[in-house]
Structures are given as structure tokens and as C-alpha cells.
Coordinates of all heavy atoms in Angstrom, one line a residue:
M431 N 166.0 73.2 138.7 CA 165.3 71.9 138.8 C 165.8 71.1 137.6 O 165.9 71.6 136.5 CB 163.8 72.1 138.7 CG 163.0 70.8 139.0 SD 161.3 71.0 139.1 CE 161.1 72.0 140.5
P432 N 166.2 69.8 137.8 CA 166.7 69.0 136.7 C 165.7 68.8 135.6 O 164.5 68.7 135.8 CB 167.0 67.6 137.4 CG 167.1 67.9 138.9 CD 166.2 69.1 139.1
S433 N 166.2 68.6 134.4 CA 165.4 68.5 133.2 C 164.5 67.3 133.3 O 163.3 67.3 132.8 CB 166.2 68.5 131.9 OG 167.1 67.4 131.9
H434 N 165.0 66.2 133.8 CA 164.1 65.0 133.9 C 162.9 65.2 134.9 O 161.9 64.6 134.6 CB 164.9 63.7 134.3 CG 165.5 63.8 135.6 ND1 166.7 64.4 135.9 CD2 165.1 63.3 136.8 CE1 167.0 64.3 137.2 NE2 166.0 63.6 137.8
V435 N 163.1 66.0 135.9 CA 162.0 66.3 136.8 C 161.0 67.2 136.1 O 159.8 67.0 136.2 CB 162.5 66.9 138.1 CG1 161.4 67.4 139.0 CG2 163.4 65.9 138.9
L436 N 161.5 68.2 135.4 CA 160.6 69.1 134.6 C 159.8 68.3 133.6 O 158.6 68.5 133.4 CB 161.4 70.2 134.0 CG 162.0 71.2 134.9 CD1 162.9 72.2 134.1 CD2 160.9 72.0 135.7
A437 N 160.5 67.3 132.9 CA 159.8 66.5 131.9 C 158.7 65.7 132.6 O 157.6 65.5 132.1 CB 160.8 65.6 131.2
L438 N 159.0 65.1 133.8 CA 158.0 64.3 134.5 C 156.8 65.2 134.9 O 155.6 64.8 134.8 CB 158.6 63.6 135.7 CG 157.7 62.7 136.5 CD1 157.1 61.6 135.6 CD2 158.5 62.1 137.7
I439 N 157.1 66.4 135.4 CA 156.0 67.3 135.8 C 155.2 67.7 134.6 O 153.9 67.7 134.6 CB 156.6 68.6 136.5 CG1 157.2 68.3 137.8 CG2 155.5 69.7 136.6 CD1 158.0 69.4 138.4
G440 N 155.8 67.9 133.4 CA 155.1 68.2 132.2 C 154.3 67.0 131.8 O 153.1 67.2 131.3
A441 N 154.8 65.8 131.9 CA 154.0 64.6 131.5 C 152.8 64.5 132.4 O 151.7 64.1 131.9 CB 154.9 63.4 131.7
I442 N 152.9 64.8 133.7 CA 151.8 64.7 134.6 C 150.7 65.7 134.2 O 149.5 65.4 134.1 CB 152.2 64.9 136.0 CG1 153.1 63.7 136.5 CG2 151.0 65.1 137.0 CD1 153.8 64.0 137.8
I443 N 151.1 66.9 133.9 CA 150.2 68.0 133.5 C 149.5 67.6 132.2 O 148.3 67.8 132.1 CB 150.9 69.3 133.4 CG1 151.3 69.8 134.9 CG2 150.0 70.4 132.8 CD1 152.3 71.0 134.9
A444 N 150.3 67.2 131.2 CA 149.7 66.8 129.9 C 148.7 65.6 130.1 O 147.6 65.6 129.4 CB 150.8 66.4 128.9
E445 N 149.0 64.7 130.9 CA 148.1 63.5 131.1 C 146.8 64.0 131.8 O 145.7 63.5 131.4 CB 148.8 62.5 132.0 CG 148.0 61.2 132.1 CD 147.2 61.1 133.3 OE1 147.5 61.8 134.3 OE2 146.2 60.4 133.3
V446 N 146.9 64.9 132.7 CA 145.7 65.4 133.4 C 144.8 66.2 132.4 O 143.6 66.1 132.4 CB 146.1 66.3 134.6 CG1 144.9 67.0 135.2 CG2 146.7 65.4 135.7
I447 N 145.5 67.0 131.5 CA 144.7 67.7 130.5 C 144.0 66.7 129.6 O 142.9 66.9 129.2 CB 145.7 68.7 129.7 CG1 146.1 69.8 130.7 CG2 145.0 69.2 128.5 CD1 147.2 70.7 130.1
G448 N 144.8 65.7 129.1 CA 144.2 64.7 128.2 C 143.0 64.0 128.9 O 142.0 63.7 128.2
T449 N 143.2 63.6 130.1 CA 142.1 62.9 130.8 C 140.9 63.8 131.0 O 139.8 63.3 130.9 CB 142.6 62.3 132.1 OG1 143.8 61.4 131.8 CG2 141.6 61.5 132.8
S450 N 141.1 65.0 131.4 CA 140.0 66.0 131.5 C 139.3 66.1 130.2 O 138.0 66.1 130.2 CB 140.5 67.3 132.0 OG 141.2 67.2 133.2
A451 N 140.0 66.2 129.1 CA 139.4 66.3 127.8 C 138.6 65.1 127.4 O 137.6 65.1 126.7 CB 140.4 66.7 126.8
L452 N 139.1 63.9 127.9 CA 138.5 62.6 127.6 C 137.1 62.7 128.2 O 136.1 62.2 127.5 CB 139.3 61.5 128.2 CG 138.8 60.1 127.9 CD1 138.8 59.8 126.4 CD2 139.7 59.1 128.6
Q453 N 136.9 63.2 129.4 CA 135.6 63.3 130.0 C 134.7 64.3 129.1 O 133.6 64.0 128.9 CB 135.7 63.9 131.4 CG 134.4 64.2 132.1 CD 133.6 63.0 132.6 OE1 134.2 62.0 132.9 NE2 132.3 63.1 132.7
A454 N 135.3 65.4 128.7 CA 134.6 66.4 127.9 C 134.3 66.0 126.5 O 133.4 66.5 125.9 CB 135.4 67.7 127.9
S455 N 135.0 65.0 126.0 CA 134.8 64.5 124.6 C 133.5 63.8 124.4 O 133.1 63.6 123.3 CB 136.0 63.7 124.1 OG 135.9 62.4 124.7
Q456 N 132.9 63.3 125.5 CA 131.7 62.6 125.5 C 131.8 61.4 124.5 O 131.2 61.2 123.5 CB 130.5 63.5 125.1 CG 130.2 64.5 126.1 CD 129.1 65.5 125.7 OE1 128.5 65.3 124.6 NE2 128.8 66.4 126.6
Q457 N 132.8 60.5 124.9 CA 133.1 59.3 124.2 C 133.5 59.6 122.7 O 133.1 58.9 121.8 CB 131.9 58.3 124.2 CG 131.6 57.7 125.6 CD 130.8 58.7 126.4 OE1 129.9 59.4 126.0 NE2 131.2 58.8 127.7
F458 N 134.4 60.6 122.6 CA 134.9 61.0 121.3 C 133.9 61.4 120.3 O 134.1 61.3 119.1 CB 135.8 59.9 120.7 CG 137.1 59.6 121.5 CD1 137.2 58.5 122.3 CD2 138.1 60.5 121.4 CE1 138.3 58.3 123.1 CE2 139.3 60.3 122.1 CZ 139.4 59.2 123.0
T459 N 132.8 62.0 120.8 CA 131.7 62.5 119.9 C 131.9 64.0 119.6 O 131.2 64.6 118.8 CB 130.3 62.2 120.4 OG1 130.2 62.9 121.7 CG2 130.1 60.7 120.5
R460 N 132.8 64.7 120.4 CA 133.1 66.1 120.2 C 134.5 66.2 119.7 O 135.5 65.8 120.4 CB 132.9 66.8 121.5 CG 131.4 66.7 122.0 CD 131.1 67.4 123.3 NE 131.4 68.8 123.2 CZ 132.0 69.5 124.2 NH1 132.2 69.0 125.4 NH2 132.3 70.8 124.1
L461 N 134.7 66.9 118.6 CA 136.0 67.0 117.9 C 137.1 67.7 118.7 O 138.2 67.2 118.9 CB 135.9 67.6 116.5 CG 137.1 67.7 115.7 CD1 137.7 66.3 115.5 CD2 136.9 68.5 114.4
G462 N 136.7 68.9 119.2 CA 137.7 69.7 120.0 C 138.3 68.9 121.1 O 139.6 68.8 121.2
P463 N 137.5 68.5 122.1 CA 138.1 67.7 123.2 C 138.8 66.5 122.8 O 139.8 66.1 123.4 CB 136.8 67.5 124.1 CG 135.9 68.5 123.7 CD 136.1 68.8 122.3
S464 N 138.3 65.8 121.7 CA 138.9 64.6 121.3 C 140.3 64.8 120.8 O 141.2 64.0 121.0 CB 138.1 63.9 120.2 OG 136.8 63.6 120.6
L465 N 140.5 65.9 120.1 CA 141.9 66.3 119.6 C 142.8 66.6 120.8 O 144.0 66.3 120.8 CB 141.8 67.5 118.7 CG 141.1 67.2 117.3 CD1 141.0 68.5 116.5 CD2 141.9 66.2 116.5
I466 N 142.2 67.3 121.8 CA 143.0 67.6 123.0 C 143.4 66.3 123.7 O 144.5 66.2 124.3 CB 142.2 68.5 124.0 CG1 142.1 69.9 123.3 CG2 143.0 68.7 125.3 CD1 141.1 70.8 124.0
V467 N 142.6 65.3 123.7 CA 142.9 64.0 124.3 C 144.1 63.4 123.6 O 145.1 63.0 124.3 CB 141.7 63.0 124.2 CG1 142.2 61.6 124.6 CG2 140.5 63.4 125.1
V468 N 144.1 63.3 122.3 CA 145.2 62.8 121.6 C 146.5 63.5 121.8 O 147.5 63.0 122.0 CB 144.8 62.6 120.1 CG1 146.0 62.2 119.2 CG2 143.6 61.7 119.9
L469 N 146.4 64.9 121.7 CA 147.6 65.7 121.9 C 148.1 65.6 123.3 O 149.3 65.5 123.5 CB 147.2 67.2 121.6 CG 148.3 68.2 121.7 CD1 149.4 67.8 120.7 CD2 147.8 69.6 121.5
G470 N 147.2 65.6 124.3 CA 147.6 65.6 125.7 C 148.3 64.3 126.0 O 149.4 64.3 126.6
Y471 N 147.8 63.1 125.6 CA 148.4 61.9 125.8 C 149.7 61.7 125.0 O 150.7 61.2 125.5 CB 147.5 60.7 125.5 CG 146.5 60.5 126.7 CD1 145.1 60.5 126.4 CD2 146.9 60.1 127.9 CE1 144.2 60.3 127.5 CE2 146.0 59.9 129.0 CZ 144.7 60.0 128.7 OH 143.8 59.8 129.7
G472 N 149.7 62.2 123.8 CA 151.0 62.2 123.0 C 152.1 63.0 123.7 O 153.2 62.4 123.9
V473 N 151.8 64.2 124.2 CA 152.8 65.0 124.9 C 153.2 64.3 126.2 O 154.4 64.2 126.6 CB 152.3 66.4 125.1 CG1 153.2 67.2 126.1 CG2 152.1 67.2 123.8
A474 N 152.2 63.7 126.9 CA 152.5 63.1 128.2 C 153.5 61.9 128.0 O 154.4 61.8 128.8 CB 151.2 62.6 128.8
F475 N 153.2 61.1 127.0 CA 154.1 59.9 126.8 C 155.5 60.3 126.3 O 156.5 59.8 126.7 CB 153.5 58.9 125.9 CG 152.4 58.1 126.6 CD1 151.1 58.2 126.2 CD2 152.7 57.2 127.6 CE1 150.1 57.4 126.8 CE2 151.8 56.5 128.3 CZ 150.4 56.6 127.9
Y476 N 155.5 61.4 125.5 CA 156.8 61.9 125.0 C 157.6 62.4 126.2 O 158.8 62.1 126.3 CB 156.6 63.0 124.0 CG 157.9 63.7 123.6 CD1 158.8 63.0 122.7 CD2 158.2 64.9 124.0 CE1 160.0 63.6 122.3 CE2 159.4 65.5 123.7 CZ 160.3 64.9 122.8 OH 161.5 65.5 122.5
L477 N 157.0 63.2 127.0 CA 157.8 63.8 128.2 C 158.1 62.7 129.2 O 159.2 62.7 129.8 CB 156.9 64.9 128.8 CG 156.8 66.1 128.0 CD1 155.8 67.1 128.7 CD2 158.1 66.8 127.7
L478 N 157.2 61.7 129.4 CA 157.6 60.6 130.3 C 158.8 59.8 129.7 O 159.7 59.4 130.5 CB 156.4 59.6 130.4 CG 156.5 58.5 131.4 CD1 156.9 58.9 132.8 CD2 155.3 57.6 131.4
A479 N 158.9 59.6 128.4 CA 160.0 59.0 127.8 C 161.3 59.7 128.1 O 162.3 59.2 128.4 CB 159.8 58.8 126.3
I480 N 161.2 61.1 128.0 CA 162.4 61.9 128.4 C 162.8 61.7 129.8 O 164.0 61.5 130.1 CB 162.1 63.4 128.0 CG1 162.0 63.6 126.5 CG2 163.2 64.3 128.7 CD1 161.6 64.9 126.1
A481 N 161.8 61.7 130.7 CA 162.1 61.5 132.1 C 162.7 60.1 132.4 O 163.6 60.0 133.3 CB 160.8 61.7 133.0
L482 N 162.3 59.1 131.6 CA 162.9 57.8 131.8 C 164.3 57.6 131.3 O 164.9 56.6 131.6 CB 162.0 56.8 131.0 CG 160.6 56.6 131.6 CD1 159.8 55.6 130.7 CD2 160.7 56.1 133.0
K483 N 164.9 58.6 130.7 CA 166.3 58.6 130.4 C 167.1 58.6 131.6 O 168.2 58.1 131.7 CB 166.7 59.7 129.5 CG 166.2 59.6 128.1 CD 166.6 60.9 127.3 CE 166.1 60.8 125.8 NZ 166.5 62.0 125.1
T484 N 166.6 59.2 132.7 CA 167.3 59.4 134.0 C 166.6 58.6 135.1 O 167.3 58.0 135.9 CB 167.4 60.9 134.3 OG1 168.0 61.5 133.3 CG2 168.2 61.1 135.6
L485 N 165.3 58.6 135.2 CA 164.6 58.0 136.3 C 164.3 56.5 136.0 O 164.0 56.2 134.9 CB 163.3 58.7 136.6 CG 163.4 60.2 137.0 CD1 162.0 60.8 137.0 CD2 164.0 60.3 138.4
P486 N 164.3 55.7 137.1 CA 163.9 54.3 136.9 C 162.4 54.3 136.6 O 161.6 55.1 137.1 CB 164.1 53.7 138.3 CG 165.0 54.6 139.0 CD 164.8 56.0 138.4
V487 N 162.0 53.3 135.7 CA 160.7 53.3 135.2 C 159.7 53.1 136.3 O 158.6 53.7 136.3 CB 160.5 52.2 134.1 CG1 160.7 50.8 134.7 CG2 159.2 52.3 133.4
G488 N 159.9 52.3 137.3 CA 159.0 52.1 138.4 C 158.7 53.3 139.2 O 157.6 53.6 139.6
I489 N 159.8 54.0 139.5 CA 159.6 55.3 140.3 C 158.9 56.3 139.4 O 158.0 57.0 139.9 CB 161.0 55.8 140.7 CG1 161.7 54.8 141.6 CG2 160.9 57.1 141.4 CD1 160.9 54.4 142.9
A490 N 159.4 56.5 138.2 CA 158.7 57.5 137.3 C 157.2 57.3 137.1 O 156.4 58.2 137.2 CB 159.5 57.6 136.0
Y491 N 156.9 56.0 136.9 CA 155.5 55.7 136.6 C 154.7 55.8 137.9 O 153.5 56.3 137.8 CB 155.4 54.2 136.1 CG 154.0 53.9 135.6 CD1 153.5 54.5 134.4 CD2 153.1 53.2 136.4 CE1 152.3 54.2 134.0 CE2 151.8 52.9 135.9 CZ 151.4 53.5 134.7 OH 150.1 53.2 134.3
A492 N 155.3 55.5 139.0 CA 154.5 55.6 140.3 C 154.2 57.1 140.6 O 153.1 57.4 140.9 CB 155.3 55.0 141.5
V493 N 155.2 58.0 140.3 CA 154.9 59.4 140.6 C 154.0 59.9 139.5 O 153.0 60.7 139.8 CB 156.3 60.2 140.5 CG1 156.0 61.7 140.6 CG2 157.2 59.7 141.7
W494 N 154.2 59.6 138.2 CA 153.3 60.0 137.2 C 151.9 59.6 137.4 O 150.9 60.4 137.3 CB 153.8 59.5 135.8 CG 153.1 59.9 134.6 CD1 152.9 61.1 134.1 CD2 152.4 59.0 133.7 NE1 152.2 61.1 132.9 CE2 151.8 59.8 132.7 CE3 152.2 57.6 133.7 CZ2 151.1 59.2 131.7 CZ3 151.4 57.1 132.7 CH2 150.9 57.9 131.7
S495 N 151.7 58.3 137.6 CA 150.3 57.9 137.8 C 149.7 58.3 139.1 O 148.5 58.7 139.2 CB 150.2 56.4 137.7 OG 151.0 55.7 138.7
G496 N 150.5 58.3 140.2 CA 149.9 58.7 141.5 C 149.5 60.2 141.5 O 148.4 60.5 141.9
L497 N 150.4 61.1 141.1 CA 150.0 62.5 141.1 C 148.9 62.8 140.0 O 148.1 63.6 140.2 CB 151.3 63.3 140.8 CG 152.3 63.3 142.0 CD1 153.4 64.2 141.7 CD2 151.6 63.7 143.3
G498 N 149.0 62.0 138.9 CA 147.9 62.1 137.9 C 146.5 61.8 138.5 O 145.5 62.5 138.3
I499 N 146.5 60.8 139.3 CA 145.2 60.4 140.0 C 144.7 61.5 140.9 O 143.6 61.8 140.9 CB 145.4 59.0 140.8 CG1 145.5 57.9 139.8 CG2 144.2 58.8 141.7 CD1 146.0 56.6 140.5
V500 N 145.7 62.0 141.7 CA 145.3 63.1 142.7 C 144.8 64.3 141.9 O 143.7 64.8 142.2 CB 146.5 63.4 143.5 CG1 146.2 64.7 144.4 CG2 146.9 62.3 144.4
L501 N 145.5 64.7 140.9 CA 145.1 65.9 140.2 C 143.8 65.7 139.4 O 143.0 66.6 139.4 CB 146.2 66.4 139.2 CG 147.5 66.9 139.9 CD1 148.6 67.2 138.9 CD2 147.2 68.1 140.8
I502 N 143.6 64.6 138.7 CA 142.4 64.4 138.0 C 141.2 64.2 138.9 O 140.1 64.6 138.6 CB 142.5 63.2 137.0 CG1 141.5 63.3 135.9 CG2 142.4 61.9 137.7 CD1 141.6 64.5 135.0
S503 N 141.4 63.7 140.1 CA 140.4 63.7 141.1 C 139.9 65.1 141.5 O 138.7 65.4 141.6 CB 140.8 62.9 142.4 OG 141.0 61.6 142.0
L504 N 140.9 66.0 141.6 CA 140.6 67.4 141.9 C 139.9 68.1 140.8 O 138.9 68.8 141.0 CB 141.9 68.2 142.3 CG 142.5 67.8 143.6 CD1 143.9 68.5 143.8 CD2 141.6 68.1 144.8
V505 N 140.3 67.8 139.5 CA 139.6 68.3 138.4 C 138.2 67.8 138.3 O 137.3 68.6 138.0 CB 140.4 68.0 137.1 CG1 139.6 68.3 135.8 CG2 141.7 68.7 137.0
G506 N 138.0 66.5 138.6 CA 136.7 66.0 138.6 C 135.8 66.7 139.6 O 134.6 66.9 139.3
L507 N 136.4 67.0 140.7 CA 135.6 67.6 141.8 C 135.3 69.1 141.4 O 134.1 69.5 141.5 CB 136.4 67.6 143.1 CG 135.8 68.3 144.3 CD1 134.6 67.5 144.8 CD2 136.9 68.4 145.4
V508 N 136.3 69.8 141.0 CA 136.1 71.2 140.7 C 135.4 71.5 139.4 O 134.4 72.3 139.3 CB 137.4 72.0 140.8 CG1 137.3 73.4 140.3 CG2 138.1 71.9 142.2
V509 N 135.8 70.8 138.3 CA 135.3 71.1 137.0 C 134.0 70.4 136.7 O 133.0 70.9 136.2 CB 136.3 70.9 135.9 CG1 135.8 71.1 134.5 CG2 137.6 71.7 136.2
F510 N 134.0 69.1 137.0 CA 132.8 68.2 136.7 C 131.9 68.0 137.8 O 130.9 67.3 137.6 CB 133.3 66.9 136.1 CG 134.2 67.1 134.8 CD1 135.5 66.8 134.9 CD2 133.6 67.6 133.7 CE1 136.3 67.0 133.7 CE2 134.4 67.7 132.5 CZ 135.7 67.4 132.6
G511 N 132.1 68.5 139.0 CA 131.2 68.4 140.1 C 131.1 66.9 140.6 O 130.1 66.6 141.2
Q512 N 132.1 66.1 140.4 CA 132.1 64.8 140.9 C 132.6 64.7 142.4 O 133.7 65.2 142.7 CB 133.1 63.9 140.0 CG 132.6 63.9 138.6 CD 133.6 63.3 137.6 OE1 134.8 63.1 138.0 NE2 133.2 63.0 136.4
K513 N 131.7 64.2 143.2 CA 132.0 64.1 144.6 C 132.9 63.0 145.0 O 132.9 61.9 144.4 CB 130.7 64.1 145.4 CG 129.7 65.2 145.1 CD 130.2 66.5 145.5 CE 129.2 67.6 145.2 NZ 129.8 68.9 145.0
L514 N 133.7 63.2 146.1 CA 134.5 62.1 146.6 C 134.0 61.7 148.0 O 133.8 62.6 148.8 CB 136.0 62.6 146.7 CG 136.7 63.0 145.4 CD1 138.0 63.6 145.7 CD2 136.8 61.8 144.5
D515 N 133.8 60.4 148.2 CA 133.4 60.0 149.5 C 134.7 59.8 150.4 O 135.8 59.9 149.9 CB 132.5 58.7 149.4 CG 133.2 57.5 148.8 OD1 134.4 57.6 148.5 OD2 132.5 56.5 148.6
L516 N 134.4 59.4 151.7 CA 135.5 59.3 152.6 C 136.6 58.2 152.2 O 137.8 58.5 152.2 CB 135.0 59.0 154.0 CG 136.1 58.9 155.1 CD1 136.9 60.2 155.2 CD2 135.4 58.5 156.4
P517 N 136.1 57.1 151.7 CA 137.2 56.1 151.3 C 138.0 56.6 150.1 O 139.2 56.3 150.1 CB 136.3 54.9 150.9 CG 135.1 55.0 151.7 CD 134.8 56.4 151.8
A518 N 137.4 57.4 149.2 CA 138.2 58.0 148.1 C 139.2 59.0 148.6 O 140.3 59.0 148.2 CB 137.2 58.6 147.1
V519 N 138.8 59.8 149.5 CA 139.7 60.8 150.1 C 140.8 60.1 150.9 O 142.0 60.5 150.7 CB 138.9 61.8 151.1 CG1 139.9 62.7 151.8 CG2 138.0 62.6 150.3
I520 N 140.5 59.0 151.6 CA 141.6 58.3 152.3 C 142.5 57.6 151.3 O 143.8 57.7 151.5 CB 140.9 57.2 153.2 CG1 140.2 57.9 154.4 CG2 142.0 56.3 153.8 CD1 139.4 57.0 155.2
G521 N 142.0 57.0 150.3 CA 142.8 56.4 149.2 C 143.7 57.4 148.5 O 144.9 57.2 148.3
I522 N 143.2 58.6 148.2 CA 144.0 59.6 147.6 C 145.1 60.1 148.5 O 146.2 60.4 148.1 CB 143.1 60.8 147.1 CG1 142.3 60.3 145.9 CG2 143.9 62.0 146.7 CD1 141.2 61.2 145.4
T523 N 144.8 60.2 149.8 CA 145.7 60.6 150.8 C 146.9 59.6 150.9 O 148.1 60.0 151.0 CB 145.1 60.8 152.2 OG1 144.0 61.8 152.1 CG2 146.1 61.2 153.2
L524 N 146.5 58.4 150.8 CA 147.6 57.3 150.8 C 148.4 57.4 149.6 O 149.7 57.1 149.6 CB 146.9 55.9 150.9 CG 146.3 55.6 152.3 CD1 145.5 54.3 152.3 CD2 147.4 55.6 153.4
I525 N 147.9 57.7 148.4 CA 148.6 57.9 147.2 C 149.6 59.0 147.4 O 150.8 58.9 147.0 CB 147.7 58.1 146.0 CG1 146.9 56.8 145.6 CG2 148.5 58.6 144.8 CD1 145.8 57.1 144.6
I526 N 149.2 60.1 147.9 CA 150.1 61.3 148.1 C 151.2 60.9 149.1 O 152.4 61.2 148.9 CB 149.3 62.5 148.7 CG1 148.3 63.0 147.6 CG2 150.3 63.6 149.2 CD1 147.3 64.0 148.1
A527 N 150.8 60.1 150.1 CA 151.9 59.7 151.1 C 152.9 58.8 150.4 O 154.1 58.9 150.7 CB 151.2 59.0 152.3
G528 N 152.4 57.9 149.6 CA 153.3 57.0 148.8 C 154.3 57.7 147.9 O 155.5 57.4 147.9
V529 N 153.8 58.7 147.2 CA 154.7 59.5 146.4 C 155.7 60.2 147.2 O 156.9 60.3 146.9 CB 153.8 60.4 145.5 CG1 154.8 61.4 144.7 CG2 153.0 59.6 144.4
A530 N 155.2 60.8 148.3 CA 156.1 61.5 149.2 C 157.2 60.6 149.8 O 158.4 61.0 149.8 CB 155.4 62.2 150.4
V531 N 156.9 59.4 150.2 CA 157.8 58.4 150.7 C 158.9 58.1 149.6 O 160.1 58.1 149.9 CB 157.2 57.2 151.2 CG1 158.2 56.0 151.4 CG2 156.4 57.5 152.5
L532 N 158.4 57.9 148.4 CA 159.3 57.6 147.3 C 160.3 58.7 147.1 O 161.5 58.5 146.9 CB 158.6 57.4 146.0 CG 157.9 56.0 145.8 CD1 157.0 56.0 144.5 CD2 158.9 54.9 145.7
Q533 N 159.8 59.9 147.1 CA 160.7 61.1 146.8 C 161.6 61.5 147.9 O 162.7 61.9 147.7 CB 159.8 62.3 146.4 CG 159.1 62.2 145.0 CD 160.1 61.9 143.9 OE1 161.0 62.7 143.7 NE2 159.9 60.8 143.2
L534 N 161.1 61.3 149.1 CA 161.9 61.8 150.3 C 162.8 60.7 150.8 O 163.9 61.1 151.4 CB 160.9 62.3 151.4 CG 160.1 63.5 151.0 CD1 159.1 63.7 152.1 CD2 160.9 64.7 150.8
F535 N 162.5 59.5 150.7 CA 163.2 58.4 151.5 C 163.8 57.3 150.6 O 164.7 56.6 151.1 CB 162.3 57.8 152.6 CG 161.8 58.8 153.5 CD1 160.4 59.1 153.5 CD2 162.6 59.5 154.4 CE1 159.9 60.1 154.4 CE2 162.1 60.4 155.3 CZ 160.8 60.7 155.3
S536 N 163.4 57.2 149.4 CA 163.8 56.1 148.6 C 165.1 56.4 147.8 O 165.1 57.4 147.1 CB 162.7 55.6 147.6 OG 163.3 54.6 146.7
G537 N 166.1 55.6 147.9 CA 167.3 55.8 147.1 C 167.0 55.4 145.7 O 167.8 55.8 144.8
S538 N 166.0 54.7 145.4 CA 165.7 54.3 144.0 C 165.2 55.5 143.2 O 165.2 55.4 142.0 CB 164.6 53.2 144.0 OG 165.0 52.1 144.7
A539 N 164.7 56.5 143.9 CA 164.1 57.6 143.2 C 165.2 58.5 142.5 O 164.9 59.3 141.6 CB 163.3 58.5 144.1
H540 N 166.4 58.3 142.9 CA 167.5 59.1 142.4 C 168.5 58.2 141.7 O 169.2 57.4 142.2 CB 168.3 59.8 143.5 CG 167.3 60.6 144.4 ND1 166.7 61.7 144.0 CD2 166.8 60.3 145.7 CE1 165.9 62.1 145.0 NE2 166.0 61.3 146.0
H541 N 168.4 58.3 140.3 CA 169.2 57.4 139.5 C 170.6 57.8 139.4 O 171.0 58.9 139.3 CB 168.5 57.3 138.1 CG 169.0 56.3 137.2 ND1 168.9 54.9 137.5 CD2 169.7 56.3 136.1 CE1 169.4 54.2 136.5 NE2 169.9 55.1 135.6

């Protein structure tokens, strides 16, 4: 797997960890989760910058944010017990479809 793809995957994972910790930080009143937020977002942006050496910014950001939304929604459901209604599930499905279309059919996704 190319290094820019691995960097993008790492950026997505770090962003999801940071966002999950943001919920757990209780508005930055808990030190441990607050430090994880800062570290998670720092790593995410660093790895996203590495991915942007090869990938176009629009494509990289669409994949990063789209998959981040999907994964953080799953974390919210499983870890925090946050329920998703039908419109939310449909919207998330459309996000997944959009990322798939970008990756499978767009020439812009391959720099």
C-alpha cells in the first residue's frame, strides 16, 4: 500500500481517536482525555499533510472527513450509546457511497 494512503488512513484513525476523546474530556475538564484530543488532532493533521504531498487536497479531505464521520458515528453508537435515526443512517450511507465513488471512479483521486 502506498505511503500516502497509509498516512491518510493514519490521519483518519488519529482524528477519530481525538474526537472520541473530545467527548470524553467533558469540555476539557478532564486532563487525560484533553491531552489525547490535542495529541490525536496533532497526529491527524501531520499525517494528513504527508498524504497531501501526493493526493489532491479536495480528494484527501473528502476521504478524511467522510470516513471520519462514519467512524465517529460508529464510536458514538458503540461507546457512548448515541442512537442514529433513519435519516442519519441514510446520510452516512451516502457519505460512504461518495467516498467509494471517489476512490473507484474518479481520476482525480490518483495524483
Side-chain angles (χ1 to χ4, degrees):
M431 189 173 298
S433 61
H434 64 278
V435 173
L436 291 173
L438 185 58
I439 291 169
I442 293 165
I443 292 167
E445 188 266 336
V446 169
I447 290 168
T449 303
S450 299
L452 186 61
Q453 174 77 27
S455 77
Q456 297 177 359
Q457 295 76 44
F458 292 103
T459 60
R460 297 179 60 216
L461 181 60
S464 297
L465 293 174
I466 293 170
V467 170
V468 173
L469 182 63
Y471 280 119
V473 169
F475 284 114
Y476 174 75
L477 292 174
L478 182 60
I480 290 172
L482 290 176
K483 289 180 181 178
T484 304
L485 295 171
V487 68
I489 300 299
Y491 190 74
V493 173
W494 180 64
S495 60
L497 293 181
I499 290 167
V500 171
L501 292 174
I502 200 62
S503 295
L504 292 174
V505 168
L507 178 70
V508 173
V509 176
F510 299 113
Q512 299 168 346
K513 304 296 181 204
L514 299 173
D515 60 9
L516 182 60
V519 172
I520 291 169
I522 290 170
T523 302
L524 291 171
I525 291 169
I526 294 169
V529 170
V531 166
L532 283 173
Q533 291 302 307
L534 297 174
F535 303 111
S536 175
S538 298
H540 310 288
H541 191 65

